[in-house]
Amino acid sequence: MERSGKQVSPAGGLFPDAAGESARGPFCAVALNRPVRREFTYVVPPRLSEGLLPGMRVAVPFGRRREVGVCVAMDVSCEIDPKRLRPIAAVLDREPVIDLELLELTRWMASYYACAWGEALAAVLPAHLKSERGARHVIRVRPAPGVGSKELSSLEERWPQQHRLLRTLLEASGPLERRDLLKRINLSLSPLQTLIRKGWIISERILAEPDELLSAEPRPRARPEELTEAQAAAVGRIGEHLTSREGRTVLLWGVTGSGKTEVYLRVIEAALEQGRGAIVLVPEIALTPQTVGWFRSRFGDVAVLHSQMTHAQRLAMWRRVRQGECRVVVGARSALFAPVRDLGVIVVDEEHEPSFKQGSTPRYHARDLAVVRAKRCGAVCVLGSATPSLESWANASAGRYDLIRLDRRVHGGDPPPLQVIDMRQEVAETRSPALFSRALITGLESVLERGEQAILFLNRRGWSPVLWCRACGETVKCRQCDLPLTYHRRLERMVCHACCEEQRPPRECPGCTSPGLRFLGTGSEKIEDGLAVLFPGIRVGRMDSDTMLRREDYERTLAAFGRRELDVLVGTQMIAKGLDFPSVTLVGIVSADSALHLPDFRAAERTFQLVSQVSGRAGRGDLEGKIIVQTVAPDHPAIVQAARHDYEAFARIELGEREALGYPPFGRLIRVVFEDADPTLVRETAERFADALFDRVAQAGGMLLGPSEAPMALVRGRVRYHLLIKAPIGSGALTCARKGLIELSAGLSRPRVVIDIDPVSML
Ligand code: ADP
Ligand code: ZN
Ligand code: ZN
């Protein structure tokens, strides 16, 4: 396709010297949401020049299409023949939708994360503002009345995609939003359209409804009369940073229950008193009505931004924040970009959470960007965690962040004891492969006897993660992806958790045709069933992404658990954080091992965090809590130190290993992933990149590793290779490698090249 707008200059040199003698008439630079790392110059026709400012959206011709972009600079000079430039078609705003502060932040983001400015801006703008006519409705789909198992089974053999679709809809407790449904089960529109034509599925456009989270009754959190000594000290010190407007970052380190949330609330009160605003980032899963209620009950009108809101709802919220009607914003990752005026404080709760990193372009880390945004606008940034990321810990140790510690729980008492069960020994002693150790069974028995509640955590959904052939030792894998299929018993299907494809469990090994296939390992579905067998009549709720199709399901299950209509809650990450139920006295981690063996240098850190975090769910009330951790690696430092509640010891050990290998926080990483259906193209391109960069990176003090197959070497039929670049802090290697990568990948349409700065996923 021909490029219509002309390049200003590669990103970074946006404002070329006024040398272009041929430049005539005002030009402006426009950032477009395209994977091209530069802005485009357009002519501003006289009738539009009045009042056009940076930060306003414009419609521009681009190739044969018309696109919406953001004007990022006015009166730029132009080095090329202006006759080849095209004029902007329309100015879409009367005043800038992106103010200068956010404009500069997105520019920084684009240069740091090596994406286009327009791509960074697209992360900031509500979807409605990204097209000229934003839709005001959502499309929902549901099964037609009377459609059920008969229709479903007729699709089973020949139309697996339609089958998957209809089944998911029949399982749901109500209509699902089309966009979410297709994304969740990884299907295109066409099987859905076929089912709609058949009359089996009904699709309806509805005006966006008010969000249940927005209208939820605030669940108050009483404002304590007095702060604890540690809290008061923390609020005082953060208050000083707030007033100084120096843009400081604070690491607030305190175990669960130490009163961090109350500190956030007080600091926000102080910011509001100064006429300033606040942003609170929490992990998506922790964005429950409970959390929102705490902030609402204290501050009244609080804007909530989360991923399941419709576009219209987001836009409405965004506008209210922009106009200053709402000065406190609570939300997941992208709420960082809320256009809060005169920002006083940014809180990042559970700052160690990997979900703050965005997994698609722009691949920003919301915690790191929060630090940057706060610094730029003189706000104080508060990073809170019981188990800080080692990056933040290192920053605090080096004095770059102010470390503030809350070292005791508000209501006193020691954190609940943690009992580690060696499952190898358990199996040896009981001579049977146990799902639940004897200690866990005894613990559950007494919980049930006393009418209390328990939470069982397992980081895997489905029944069993592996189907293994005894004869040849192979596991049954997805045909599209290099990944074992998970058995889902209720569906009677093997499901690929990468691409959502399904198949019937084979009777014999697809490799060697031997019939000796065995299920290995445990998923949440098996735990649920296991409980029912052991404790007849037990009331179990399961929360994982299989059972929680709608946000309402999540809230309903939690509410039922809160009313004590359930004895045990079984779940995946979904239940690891934020839940605060006083009558939970037992928490069982069914297997702490699943994260430990991932090919990721953060595997130990994640395991430590997970065990600590899940443990925090017990003993929140007056009752004694108990935690049981089942593992086959009881001597692993992550488990040993988590059991001792000793974060510092863990950090010391882990930092030693990281330093030896040059991993963060001692070095920065760039991960480059190459993906294509053509394996040769992928390998050769990866090698070409490596050859071109190896010496340059080394000269700048860094190190290039690879290329090699990615741990997930095949996904959806595409072969994946990756490169890793290690850049010691303070060396120029990061900048040098980033520049080289941008040059090498410019204009390359195949294979797909993903440049991930400060990667979080190593798969
Ligand atoms: P964290 O966020 O560190 O897990 P919270 O702020 O949620 O801790 O506090 C834990 C519990 O203690 C909550 O129930 C909260 O209402 C209560 N709490 C916090 N600060 C105080 C205080 N100063 N006085 C009395 N109760 C408090
Ligand atoms: Zn076999
Ligand atoms: Zn797959």
Side-chain angles (χ1 to χ4, degrees):
M1 187 180 59
E2 235 241 333
R3 216 173 273 125
S4 80
K6 286 297 170 234
Q7 169 186 357
V8 177
S9 71
L14 175 68
F15 307 103
D17 299 331
E21 67 285 293
S22 60
R24 216 174 2 89
F27 305 113
C28 71
V30 175
L32 294 171
N33 183 12
R34 304 223 136 227
V36 184
R37 294 181 185 88
R38 60 179 173 233
E39 296 73 48
F40 298 88
T41 307
Y42 285 88
V43 174
V44 184
R47 72 190 159 86
L48 296 179
S49 67
E50 190 83 351
L52 176 59
L53 292 170
M56 289 185 181
R57 294 170 309 135
V58 290
V60 293
F62 192 84
R64 264 181 252 144
R65 300 175 37 166
R66 189 169 145 125
E67 297 215 355
V68 174
V70 176
C71 168
V72 291
M74 293 295 298
D75 300 323
V76 293
S77 59
C78 171
E79 292 155 329
I80 49 166
D81 180 2
K83 283 206 268 314
R84 292 168 58 199
L85 293 183
R86 296 162 76 180
I88 55 175
V91 175
L92 303 176
D93 298 307
R94 284 207 203 105
E95 55 184 270
V97 285
I98 303 280
D99 64 15
L100 285 179
E101 187 230 321
L102 279 172
L103 208 54
E104 281 301 315
L105 183 71
T106 50
R107 185 185 183 190
W108 184 91
M109 192 175 151
S111 68
Y112 186 80
Y113 291 105
C115 65
W117 196 349
E119 289 175 312
L121 282 163
V124 173
L125 282 174
H128 265 346
L129 297 182
K130 285 186 259 186
S131 63
E132 278 183 78
R133 268 171 299 137
R136 307 236 158 244
H137 51 256
V138 291
I139 298 178
R140 291 213 173 153
V141 289
R142 59 185 165 88
V147 169
S149 52
K150 191 166 124 264
E151 286 76 9
L152 188 62
S153 54
S154 75
L155 296 171
E156 185 152 11
E157 290 307 322
R158 291 192 50 201
W159 289 287
Q161 297 195 331
Q162 292 178 39
H163 181 262
R164 193 155 100 215
L165 228 162
L166 185 60
R167 191 194 65 224
T168 310
L169 278 177
L170 286 170
E171 279 166 8
S173 53
L176 294 177
E177 212 178 300
R178 187 178 74 180
R179 176 178 62 140
D180 295 341
L181 171 68
L182 296 180
K183 198 166 133 206
R184 160 190 289 273
I185 58 176
N186 188 30
L187 288 179
S188 69
L189 204 51
S190 82
L192 177 65
Q193 281 163 337
T194 309
L195 286 171
I196 292 172
R197 268 198 305 277
K198 281 187 188 161
W200 293 1
I201 285 182
I202 293 175
S203 163
E204 52 205 359
R205 276 160 185 269
I206 51 161
L207 274 171
E209 303 173 352
D211 190 323
E212 71 283 359
L213 252 188
L214 308 178
S215 53
E217 275 294 297
R219 284 168 219 193
R221 158 181 282 237
R223 187 174 189 280
E225 294 276 307
E226 275 187 50
L227 293 179
T228 65
E229 217 170 289
Q231 281 175 323
V235 171
R237 217 148 96 200
I238 301 171
E240 284 167 23
H241 295 314
L242 176 72
T243 311
S244 79
R245 293 189 184 244
E246 280 169 10
R248 280 292 301 234
T249 294
V250 169
L251 178 60
L252 184 64
W253 173 42
V255 295
T256 317
S258 60
K260 296 186 294 296
T261 308
E262 189 57 40
V263 172
Y264 307 151
L265 292 165
R266 298 288 172 123
V267 173
I268 296 169
E269 280 176 16
L272 292 175
E273 265 165 36
Q274 297 182 7
R276 301 162 79 185
I279 295 176
V280 182
L281 300 185
V282 297
E284 178 77 38
I285 308 174
L287 198 55
T288 58
Q290 195 176 28
T291 320
V292 172
W294 294 337
F295 289 88
R296 284 248 161 90
S297 66
R298 201 66 69 85
F299 304 118
D301 210 357
V302 167
V304 180
L305 294 168
H306 62 83
S307 66
Q308 294 195 13
M309 286 165 89
T310 64
H311 292 339
Q313 287 167 341
R314 279 187 158 262
L315 180 63
M317 271 298 169
W318 196 83
R319 291 215 158 113
R320 296 189 53 216
V321 173
R322 234 192 105 58
Q323 274 144 23
E325 287 170 36
C326 270
R327 285 191 296 158
V328 180
V329 176
V330 181
R333 191 170 58 221
S334 67
L336 173 68
F337 302 116
V340 175
R341 292 186 180 175
D342 195 2
L343 198 53
V345 51
I346 307 179
V347 172
V348 184
D349 190 28
E350 312 279 8
E351 64 88 28
H352 61 274
E353 265 298 303
S355 65
F356 284 122
K357 168 87 175 179
Q358 169 137 307
S360 57
T361 308
R363 294 169 189 271
Y364 67 92
H365 199 302
R367 178 239 297 144
D368 297 345
L369 263 189
V371 173
V372 173
R373 187 172 180 192
K375 183 153 194 88
R376 292 174 154 263
C377 64
V380 57
C381 180
V382 182
L383 309 179
S385 176
T387 53
S389 65
L390 290 175
E391 285 84 349
S392 296
W393 184 250
N395 278 324
S397 308
R400 283 185 290 272
Y401 299 169
D402 187 6
L403 178 66
I404 301 183
R405 181 167 185 194
L406 301 179
D407 55 1
R408 251 171 281 152
R409 312 216 295 177
V410 173
H411 300 298
D414 293 324
L418 216 138
Q419 187 183 358
V420 177
I421 306 290
D422 181 347
M423 291 306 275
R424 292 167 310 184
Q425 198 185 339
E426 189 75 17
V427 170
E429 285 172 15
T430 60
R431 295 178 177 281
S432 71
L435 199 53
F436 305 117
S437 59
R438 289 161 298 178
L440 188 53
I441 294 175
T442 318
L444 283 166
E445 273 166 0
S446 63
V447 162
L448 292 174
E449 249 163 50
R450 296 194 304 258
E452 294 162 2
Q453 293 179 299
I455 289 180
L456 292 186
F457 174 86
L458 182 66
N459 216 357
R460 275 201 207 111
R461 62 200 169 89
W463 172 271
S464 165
V466 172
L467 183 54
W468 176 73
C469 171
R470 239 180 313 187
C472 69
E474 285 294 311
T475 57
V476 178
K477 288 185 172 175
C478 174
R479 280 173 293 232
Q480 300 276 324
C481 314
D482 182 30
L483 212 71
L485 295 171
T486 299
Y487 177 54
H488 287 243
R489 181 163 174 177
R490 198 178 39 88
L491 307 177
E492 261 306 303
R493 285 281 187 295
M494 306 293 299
V495 180
C496 172
H497 286 179
C499 74
C500 306
E501 289 290 330
E502 312 178 338
Q503 63 183 66
R504 287 249 171 103
R507 282 173 201 284
E508 49 192 46
C509 170
C512 75
T513 71
S514 145
L517 291 174
R518 283 180 54 184
F519 289 113
L520 293 184
T522 303
S524 51
E525 200 184 5
K526 190 166 171 183
I527 300 294
E528 187 185 17
D529 286 18
L531 284 173
V533 171
L534 272 176
F535 305 102
I538 192 172
R539 298 165 305 169
V540 180
R542 172 157 64 97
M543 293 185 65
D544 56 31
S545 54
D546 293 325
T547 54
M548 301 289 116
L549 284 170
R550 291 150 47 93
R551 195 170 186 104
E552 292 90 318
D553 300 333
Y554 179 84
E555 274 145 31
R556 197 173 323 118
T557 306
L558 283 187
F561 193 61
R563 287 192 305 265
R564 305 174 73 160
E565 292 162 16
L566 297 169
D567 305 307
V568 181
L569 198 57
V570 175
T572 55
Q573 283 101 313
M574 261 183 203
I575 60 169
K577 33 189 104 43
L579 307 186
D580 188 353
F581 294 105
S583 48
V584 171
T585 53
L586 174 67
V587 168
I589 299 178
V590 179
S591 166
D593 305 322
S594 54
L596 213 47
H597 303 301
L598 288 177
D600 183 335
F601 70 94
R602 290 193 182 90
E605 186 180 359
R606 295 266 176 276
T607 303
F608 181 89
Q609 288 162 349
L610 202 66
V611 172
S612 308
Q613 194 151 45
V614 176
S615 316
R617 304 301 124 229
R620 310 267 305 174
D622 301 331
L623 304 166
E624 288 273 303
K626 180 174 186 178
I627 296 138
I628 291 175
V629 180
Q630 305 191 147
T631 174
V632 296
D635 303 323
H636 193 286
I639 306 232
V640 172
Q641 303 307 335
R644 292 190 189 141
H645 304 284
D646 195 342
Y647 172 81
E648 279 174 297
F650 172 73
R652 220 171 16 248
I653 298 168
E654 184 62 16
L655 284 172
E657 309 232 321
R658 299 272 183 96
E659 184 163 26
L661 295 169
Y663 278 124
F666 298 96
R668 296 219 129 117
L669 298 180
I670 302 182
R671 181 173 184 241
V672 192
V673 181
F674 304 84
E675 281 183 0
D676 200 276
D678 176 353
T680 315
L681 181 68
V682 170
R683 204 190 55 243
E684 287 178 358
T685 312
E687 279 165 3
R688 182 162 62 79
F689 272 53
D691 288 343
L693 290 174
F694 191 89
D695 289 339
R696 282 166 74 176
V697 170
Q699 271 156 24
M703 195 201 287
L704 184 144
L705 305 172
S708 61
E709 278 193 335
M712 279 172 74
L714 183 73
V715 172
R716 292 169 200 180
R718 290 149 65 101
V719 176
R720 302 170 81 239
Y721 268 66
H722 70 167
L723 286 178
L724 197 64
I725 294 158
K726 288 183 185 172
I729 299 287
S731 74
L734 186 87
T735 312
C736 160
R738 179 171 48 212
K739 188 157 166 278
L741 286 165
I742 290 173
E743 284 161 20
L744 286 164
S745 56
L748 193 69
S749 59
R750 281 183 60 190
R752 190 164 105 101
V753 178
V754 172
I755 303 172
D756 193 356
I757 312 278
D758 302 334
V760 161
S761 164
M762 304 303 284
L763 299 178

